[in-house]
């Protein structure tokens, strides 16, 4: 199961890249089982991007969406990219 956690979120745009930075405010990297968490976070990112028409159109037009996760201390956890043209 994905970490059930409060999340702080930031949005940044760099060229054709949209970066959603999310901090898992109640969890440290040491507490995460990344073998289980990463696929669930990937699934959520893909569902969000491909299932949200206003974001999907940007990916269809060449944007890449990155979800950059960090733990409660700000240490990088995992980056998940949804590249241009990925959504059906």
């Amino acid at each position: 199961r994905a970490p059930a956690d409060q999340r702080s979120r930031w949005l940044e745009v760099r060229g054709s890249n949209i970066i959603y930075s999310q901090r898992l405010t109640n969890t440290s990297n040491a507490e995460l089982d990344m073998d289980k968490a990463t696929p669930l976070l990937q699934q959520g990112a893909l569902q969000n991007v491909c299932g949200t028409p206003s974001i999907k159109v940007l990916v269809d037009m060449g944007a890449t969406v990155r979800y950059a996760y960090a733990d409660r201390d700000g240490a990088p956890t995992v980056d998940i990219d949804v590249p241009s043209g990925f959504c059906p």
Side-chain angles (χ1 to χ4, degrees), residues 47-60:
Q47 287 174 345
N48 285 340
V49 171
C50 298
T52 305
S54 60
I55 299 172
K56 181 182 179 297
V57 71
L58 297 173
V59 171
D60 291 344

Side-chain angles (χ1 to χ4, degrees), residues 4 15 22 26 34 68-69:
Q22 298 191 17
N26 296 325
M34 293 310 296
Y69 292 94

